[in-house]
Amino acid sequence: MELVAPAGTPAALRTAIAAGADVVYCGFRDATNARNFPGLNFSRDELAAGIAHAHARGAGVYLACNTYPQAGREHLWRQAVDDAASLGVDAVILADIGLLGHARDRHPDLRLHLSVQASASNEDAIAFYQRHFGVRRVVLPRVLSLADIAALNHRITVETEVFAFGGMCVMAEGRCALSSYVTGESPNTTGACSPAAHIRYQPDGDATLARLGAVTVDRFAPGEPVGYPTLCKGRFTPRGATPGTASGPRRDGVYLFEDPVSLNVEAMLPELAAAGVRAIKIEGRQRGRAYVEAVVAAFRRALDQAGRDEPATAGTLAAMSEGGSGTAGAYRRGWQ
Amino acid sequence: MSTTATTVTTPPPARLVLGPMLFNRPPATLHDLYARIADETDIDVVHLGEVVCAKRMPFIDPHLPAIIDRLRRAGKQVVISTLALVQGARETALVRDLTASDDWLIEANDMSAIHGLSGRPHVVGPHVNVYNPASLACLAALGAVRVCLPAELPMAGIAALAAARGAVAIEVQVFGRAPLAISARCYHARAHGLHKDGCRYVCGQDPDGMPVDTVDGQPFLAVNGLQTLSHGCLELSGWIDDLRTAGVTGFRLSPHSVDMVAVAGIYRAVIDGRMAGSDAAASIRPLLGEMPPINGFLAGGAGMAWHPRAE
């Protein structure tokens, strides 16, 4: 399986490749990619240098242009695809059917991957993108179980890529407007979920409230580590939940959508390979170089061990996980 | 070129649409609701079918033929909506069965349904991402005759798409909780300490979704099984004229446990020019129960906001 690593910056790109990534993925510094955060991403010159650096070392570069072109500003997205093609990326990762049509018509030799933001979660949806746009690979949404993925791979002829490690979107990607409900900006529109400019921390007695726009997303007790208030990872109070259950009514709220954990499939690599998965993707273009280096190196070692049928050196990634714990997420059906 | 050409544009005819029931309601409640819709409203189009959770289908499907018959006899066009999130072989087969049928017009809420419907007329639902004219043109070429736009589009985006509509009718949800997200995980089950596989259909306890508050007590969202909705209720009756001027011709009401006959009557009156938008907003307000009106997406800002109309 191919190891696909995040590169939020040129430094992260070089770090990921040195640590053993087969491919890095990155985006331009604007709304055309789903990690449009201040201080991240690439200029055209930086991408050109990154591609040269990667190719000289036998590695590849994918360019994510995976937000949805907003009416009236489509030129920004088309230009991103055109520039990526002329700079020589190994693939572009797209979600929007209009933009896929542009890429197909203008750059017939450009390799097209379907972004997780397109939410293609079944064989007929995948067949749609293959038939009309010739996509060569689909990044599967984080809603499918391992059994679903294995069955799917038997019935399709395009490559599949799955998320292996990092923050986990619990909603079907590309179908979530929670962030724009609160801030007016979302992954689909501006490429940002729970954008930092809308975040405010404020004291509440001895506790700390994490606010996003007009909404309190979490309250951290004194001494509790204060996390980033991503909407679906916050604590809320469902009215009418059954008393006595983990999510039962509590004044301090519960992790209704997802606990603060990271996805980690380190222990499942042989199963993913047997399921026909072609590539595994590490999430985290917003993370620093030390993180990228540690995670990529650990997965490089785990993939190499799995390839030699050696037992895995487990547990090396726990320290890198949110909340210090990992989950197999939707890959294990019990998560649902 | 006609010398009588005028620059005054008359908005094209508008249709009032009742969207699919998103909530887990008992069959008897559905029979009652659609009987009233058939007898007492000027709704033109009624969507049926399960959009949120395939597990609910066996309870509702046996009742659909009678409901469809009732609505058709009243002159309503019936459209069957498909699942928004299609996972696994069984759900894929369910969507295939629906899209293979010539008995109904189908609304696709996922690319798998569009794949099955390509080459013949169909409707595209709000769960398919249509943000720009190039995407709209692609769907039109595949046979889309009506497209209900995603909830988070601002007025400028709606207008750009409506201007590029060609033969495709453009529809906007103007009433009801906004669909914000869908997941493989059932949050209703999770809130009750259950898993999706043994959910006991607890979503049936909340006719408009389970209210979700922030830790400081502010009502925020509504959970409906796999789906997350806004707490606030989209209420665009005051903006119908603007939407029509932009070229929108479909106005979707998403059914809730409030008096939908009364809501439909008010929207119909606005569409027909018998009631001013500002009067409609005032008339609908008391019908909303605990749901505050919201319209922030239209202004391009936070969807949960309400911006009163500047007169």
Side-chain angles (χ1 to χ4, degrees):
Chain A
M1 289 188 290
E2 183 178 274
L3 179 56
V4 184
T9 62
L13 177 145
R14 293 190 295 272
T15 300
I17 290 170
D22 297 307
V23 179
V24 295
Y25 65 100
C26 48
F28 287 130
R29 198 170 289 143
D30 55 32
T32 62
N33 80 93
R35 282 291 183 279
N36 181 23
F37 289 113
L40 285 190
N41 300 318
F42 286 63
S43 69
R44 267 56 174 176
D45 288 345
E46 287 166 345
L47 183 65
I51 292 169
H53 178 89
H55 286 179
R57 286 155 185 81
V61 176
Y62 299 156
L63 190 282
C65 188
N66 57 350
T67 49
Y68 286 83
Q70 301 298 297
R73 299 171 60 216
E74 294 97 327
H75 60 279
L76 194 64
W77 280 262
R78 291 187 189 139
Q79 192 66 53
V81 170
D82 295 347
D83 290 347
S86 65
L87 291 172
V89 295
D90 298 281
V92 287
I93 308 169
L94 309 180
D96 179 71
I97 54 175
L99 194 62
L100 279 158
H102 171 84
R104 170 202 63 201
D105 295 342
R106 295 291 181 87
H107 309 285
D109 297 329
L110 182 60
R111 190 179 158 93
L112 306 184
H113 289 187
L114 190 69
S115 170
V116 70
Q117 295 295 125
S119 189
S121 55
N122 58 76
E123 64 182 281
D124 286 2
I126 291 168
F128 172 85
Y129 289 101
Q130 184 179 23
R131 174 177 161 194
H132 294 288
F133 307 109
V135 299
R136 307 273 289 277
R137 181 183 293 183
V138 174
V139 185
L140 294 177
R142 282 167 272 194
V143 297
L144 299 172
S145 69
L146 189 63
D148 288 336
I149 293 169
L152 186 62
N153 276 328
H154 275 295
R155 291 200 297 271
I156 61 174
T157 54
V158 297
E159 298 174 0
T160 54
E161 177 176 312
V162 303
F163 280 87
F165 190 85
M168 204 170 71
C169 273
V170 294
M171 306 303 183
E173 289 105 325
R175 265 114 172 264
C176 182
L178 282 174
S179 180
S180 52
Y181 181 60
V182 177
T183 71
E185 298 180 53
S186 77
N188 281 7
T189 58
T190 65
C193 173
S194 310
H198 296 262
I199 288 173
R200 208 154 35 91
Y201 293 97
Q202 71 185 55
D204 178 37
D206 292 338
T208 302
L209 296 182
R211 310 248 308 158
L212 182 72
V215 170
T216 298
V217 175
D218 216 332
R219 179 199 279 130
F220 298 97
E224 190 179 10
V226 174
Y228 191 94
T230 304
L231 265 171
C232 59
K233 311 288 173 59
R235 277 176 280 201
F236 303 102
T237 309
R239 261 185 270 161
T242 306
T245 64
S247 300
R250 290 164 50 178
R251 276 189 57 240
D252 55 351
V254 294
Y255 294 110
L256 177 64
F257 301 109
E258 181 56 293
D259 301 299
V261 295
S262 291
L263 177 69
N264 184 0
V265 304
E266 197 183 3
M268 297 173 65
L269 293 177
E271 290 173 274
L272 287 167
V277 169
R278 176 72 182 83
I280 58 169
K281 177 173 230 153
I282 294 165
E283 188 274 345
R285 277 190 279 156
Q286 72 281 25
R287 307 302 290 258
R289 284 171 60 191
Y291 175 92
V292 169
E293 181 168 33
V295 175
V296 171
F299 269 94
R300 177 79 276 153
R301 187 170 60 245
L303 278 173
D304 291 347
Q305 285 172 338
R308 293 191 299 264
D309 269 340
E310 291 173 14
T313 317
T316 51
L317 288 168
M320 294 292 161
S321 300
E322 211 174 325
S325 59
T327 174
Y331 298 134
R332 303 288 189 211
R333 193 163 166 85
W335 178 84
Q336 297 183 350
Chain B
M1 182 67 76
S2 166
T3 54
T4 57
T6 167
T7 55
V8 177
T9 52
T10 308
R15 297 212 293 176
L16 193 56
V17 179
L18 187 70
M21 172 56 71
L22 300 176
F23 306 101
N24 181 5
R25 298 278 180 81
T29 307
L30 295 179
H31 280 290
D32 290 348
L33 169 69
Y34 291 111
R36 288 199 69 201
I37 296 296
D39 292 347
E40 302 174 46
T41 71
D42 284 332
I43 285 172
D44 303 293
V45 184
V46 178
H47 286 244
L48 301 169
E50 180 58 52
V51 171
V52 176
C53 180
K55 291 182 67 177
R56 301 169 177 176
M57 293 165 99
F59 300 100
I60 302 303
D61 283 358
H63 299 272
L64 286 181
I67 292 172
I68 290 168
D69 183 55
R70 187 84 177 73
L71 290 164
R72 281 184 172 166
R73 278 191 284 120
K76 314 298 186 195
Q77 183 189 38
V78 173
V79 181
I80 304 295
S81 297
T82 66
L83 287 170
L85 182 61
V86 183
Q87 315 160 75
R90 201 179 69 83
E91 292 180 9
T92 306
L94 286 171
V95 172
R96 268 188 204 165
D97 285 350
L98 277 177
T99 58
S101 168
D102 287 327
D103 297 341
W104 310 290
L105 187 61
I106 307 282
E107 174 180 80
N109 280 310
D110 170 75
M111 281 304 176
S112 64
I114 290 177
H115 184 67
L117 293 163
S118 290
R120 59 198 174 97
H122 61 268
V123 178
V124 175
H127 304 278
V128 172
N129 286 336
V130 182
Y131 285 91
N132 54 71
S135 297
L136 183 64
C138 178
L139 295 170
L142 296 169
V145 294
R146 171 158 59 93
V147 173
C148 184
L149 300 178
E152 71 176 353
L153 279 179
M155 187 58 128
I158 293 169
L161 285 158
R165 67 189 180 277
V168 179
I170 299 294
E171 180 178 320
V172 168
Q173 181 184 335
V174 292
F175 180 86
R177 287 185 153 155
L180 297 177
I182 193 155
S183 171
R185 180 177 247 184
C186 179
Y187 304 116
H188 239 115
R190 184 168 153 86
H192 288 272
L194 303 168
H195 286 113
K196 187 176 168 186
D197 286 342
C199 68
R200 299 181 206 160
Y201 306 96
V202 288
C203 55
Q205 295 178 7
D206 300 296
D208 294 297
M210 175 175 62
V212 173
D213 299 339
T214 61
V215 287
D216 48 7
Q218 179 190 13
F220 178 35
L221 300 168
V223 156
N224 174 36
L226 313 179
Q227 184 182 41
T228 305
L229 298 156
S230 61
H231 168 68
C233 180
L234 283 172
E235 208 292 274
L236 306 185
S237 60
W239 283 262
I240 298 289
D241 289 347
D242 307 72
L243 290 164
R244 288 191 77 183
T245 302
V248 173
T249 54
F251 299 96
R252 175 174 298 215
L253 314 176
S254 186
H256 287 273
S257 63
V258 304
D259 186 345
M260 292 305 296
V261 171
V263 170
I266 293 167
Y267 272 92
R268 185 86 250 174
V270 179
I271 289 169
D272 291 349
R274 290 182 281 110
M275 185 186 276
S278 52
D279 292 341
S283 302
I284 284 180
R285 201 68 174 258
L287 298 174
L288 296 180
E290 70 158 325
M291 299 184 290
I294 57 169
N295 63 1
F297 285 129
L298 214 52
M304 66 192 290
W306 171 254
H307 304 287
R309 179 144 205 140
E311 297 297 346

